[in-house]
Amino acid sequence: MPPSRHGDLLGVAAWASAAVAVALWLASPGSHAVSGLGGWLTDAGIVAGLVATDLVLVMLVLAARVPLLDRVFGQDTAIAVHRSLGKPVLYLLLAHGALLTLGYGTASGSGPVAETVSLFSTPDVPLAYLGLGLFLVVVVSSVVAVRRHLPYEVWHVVHLLSYAAVLVALPHMLSAGSVLGQGTWQRVYWIAAYVVALGLVALYRFAVPLVVTLRHRIRVVAVEPIAPGVVSVHLSGRDLDRLGVRGGQYGVWRFWSATTWWHAHPVSFSAVPGTDRARITVRELGAGSARLARLRPGTAVSLEGPYGLFTDVARTAPYLALVASGIGITPVRALLEDTDLRPGEATVLLRGTDASQQYLWQETAELAAATGTTLYAMVGHRARSRASWATEEDLRRGVTLLSVFPRLLESDLYVCGPQAWSDLVVREARLAGVPEHRIHQERFGS
């Protein structure tokens, strides 16, 4: 299934779960006792709150890195849907508070200001306002314009507040009013939903990585500079081949040194792990990744993963077309290494602005030669005069995807590189007639 349809399906499932939550409330006797404007406002506020809370729990599940979700939809798709729900949830939470305040105030004749003061004296409601404030901070910090100005470490710490927001909001759901009264199916449903969502986060974000860390005892062996601002981190460990890594996948790495322990890095394997060796290759994209170049041998490493659908498991066509630009070479090189190929079955296109960006090209060329794979190298600045993924010189020569990959329409196409560039490659592939389910795109920030 194409990634776009994966996202659509997850989005539909998220809103369907919210519909279930509302349906449970409508099935309760109290939901039918609506009288006057105050009653309508109050009920609208209740519905907004139920939908928002359900979607928050869905967001937690999508961010929990559940292996089943990764295998079916891909972790990148799950995170994309997670992000898309942030603003709707915030608007619903704000509506929840405003509508309930107006509804209670209208019904009692006290007005919104007096009602707000009264609500703050109600047990557990101040915690709900705290949760709303925390969630507001999380959403605002995730807006692209704001996030660009925040160091990753700051943004990550702020994002962890979402867990606190969920926890502090729970008491008022169970104690305020009769919506989730004792002995009701609604109460059972919501407690179970909280347990499942938070349990999946605890299991796959904390418990499983801890077990993997203790079982495989991964350590840094060496840090090898391979180009300006790019290093390969060589790792050792125990039974690393049992991690189940497929070429093209990535892990979320945490290096336990004094300057890196608080920052987790999503980085692709640049080689398929052996029994006791693994490797990742990292480009300096900020202060956090720059610190990896200064890691010392012996540094302990913890790992979440592997994740990703950028593997030969997704193949459906007889031929293989691999396209990589810049540091996007890492999953492509590992995928080429991990795929059983007949001579002539695969073609690889490597793209770099200049010689300094030819990361791992020699290794990739050796793998291509060993498997009878055709290798095409494209070096130079991308053409500015037209929206093209090719260089100016290649454009003049009439180079297209179909000229590089003569069997493109009989191939699975794997593309990894900077998003703007890889989007142009994918657009040309679609225009050429490559079916959506045969296009596999892994986006790198640069």
Side-chain angles (χ1 to χ4, degrees):
M1 187 182 296
S4 59
R5 295 183 184 177
H6 281 164
D8 292 342
L9 182 58
L10 276 179
V12 169
W15 288 99
S17 70
V20 170
V22 174
L24 279 174
W25 176 73
L26 290 173
S28 63
S31 66
H32 305 294
V34 181
S35 70
L37 178 60
W40 284 105
L41 290 171
T42 299
D43 281 7
I46 290 172
V47 170
L50 293 175
V51 173
T53 304
D54 183 90
L55 293 180
V56 167
L57 297 179
V58 170
M59 290 176 69
L60 290 182
V61 172
L62 292 175
R65 298 176 183 149
V66 179
L68 178 61
L69 290 179
D70 181 57
R71 286 194 297 269
V72 176
F73 300 102
Q75 189 60 32
D76 56 342
T77 300
I79 292 300
V81 176
H82 164 91
R83 290 171 179 162
S84 73
L85 294 175
K87 287 184 180 179
V89 166
L90 177 60
Y91 299 149
L92 285 165
L93 288 174
L94 292 172
H96 170 65
L99 289 169
L100 284 182
T101 301
L102 290 172
Y104 293 154
T106 300
S108 64
S110 60
V113 175
E115 190 60 40
T116 300
V117 174
S118 175
L119 284 172
F120 267 97
S121 64
T122 304
D124 299 325
V125 171
L127 286 176
Y129 277 99
L130 174 60
L132 175 60
L134 292 174
F135 199 81
L136 177 62
V137 171
V138 171
V139 173
V140 170
S141 73
S142 298
V143 174
V144 173
V146 176
R147 185 175 176 181
R148 284 176 179 168
H149 293 85
L150 290 176
Y152 176 86
E153 293 85 351
V154 174
W155 175 86
H156 185 66
V157 170
V158 170
H159 215 64
L160 292 177
L161 294 175
S162 58
Y163 299 128
V166 172
L167 289 172
V168 299
L170 178 59
H172 97 282
M173 290 183 64
L174 300 178
S175 65
S178 59
V179 176
L180 303 185
Q182 292 280 358
T184 64
W185 280 108
Q186 285 194 85
R187 191 180 185 91
V188 173
Y189 172 85
W190 284 107
I191 291 176
Y194 265 82
V195 169
V196 169
L198 295 175
L200 289 174
V201 169
L203 178 61
Y204 291 112
R205 296 299 298 271
F206 299 100
V208 170
L210 178 61
V211 170
V212 169
T213 299
L214 295 176
R215 176 183 297 167
H216 296 284
R217 299 179 184 176
I218 305 174
R219 295 288 188 275
V220 173
V221 174
V223 177
E224 175 192 8
I226 65 168
V230 180
V231 299
S232 283
V233 181
H234 296 267
L235 307 163
S236 67
R238 186 175 62 181
D239 299 328
L240 297 183
D241 54 332
R242 298 183 65 181
L243 286 169
V245 178
R246 301 300 300 258
Q249 290 188 304
Y250 69 95
V252 180
W253 306 85
R254 190 177 301 274
F255 298 89
W256 293 95
S257 73
T259 59
T260 59
W261 66 268
W262 64 83
H263 189 166
H265 302 263
V267 181
S268 294
F269 291 85
S270 58
V272 179
T275 303
D276 59 355
R277 288 289 186 270
R279 186 185 71 180
I280 60 175
T281 302
V282 187
R283 182 179 179 184
E284 181 180 325
L285 297 175
S289 53
R291 295 187 188 102
L292 300 187
R294 299 188 291 273
L295 288 171
R296 295 182 177 181
T299 300
V301 183
S302 57
L303 169 67
E304 295 178 53
Y307 302 119
L309 300 177
F310 197 80
T311 72
D312 66 348
V313 174
R315 282 187 64 187
T316 60
Y319 293 93
L320 181 63
L322 302 174
V323 183
S325 176
I327 200 64
I329 183 66
T330 54
V332 168
R333 183 244 177 255
L335 174 59
L336 183 62
E337 179 187 12
D338 198 34
T339 305
D340 292 327
L341 296 169
R342 305 182 311 274
E345 182 179 341
T347 301
V348 179
L349 168 63
L350 301 181
R351 167 82 171 84
T353 302
D354 51 43
S356 69
Q357 291 192 4
Q358 296 178 14
Y359 321 131
L360 306 179
W361 280 26
Q362 182 59 40
E363 291 185 18
T364 305
E366 292 170 0
L367 287 170
T371 57
T373 295
T374 302
L375 185 66
Y376 188 102
M378 180 181 288
V379 180
H381 291 280
R382 185 161 61 88
R384 300 296 181 184
S385 57
R386 294 165 57 186
S388 173
W389 54 271
T391 66
E392 198 73 58
E393 180 182 351
D394 286 298
L395 273 181
R396 287 195 299 268
R397 292 166 48 212
V399 173
T400 65
L401 278 183
L402 282 171
S403 68
V404 177
F405 303 101
R407 297 184 178 274
L408 181 63
L409 300 185
E410 304 170 74
S411 303
D412 274 277
L413 175 66
Y414 290 78
V415 184
C416 188
Q419 182 169 339
W421 178 85
S422 60
D423 284 346
L424 290 172
V425 176
V426 169
R427 185 183 70 173
E428 185 171 323
R430 288 170 176 154
L431 292 174
V434 179
E436 193 72 34
H437 70 276
R438 290 183 180 171
I439 298 175
H440 316 280
Q441 185 178 13
E442 189 91 328
R443 294 183 175 91
F444 277 22
S446 75

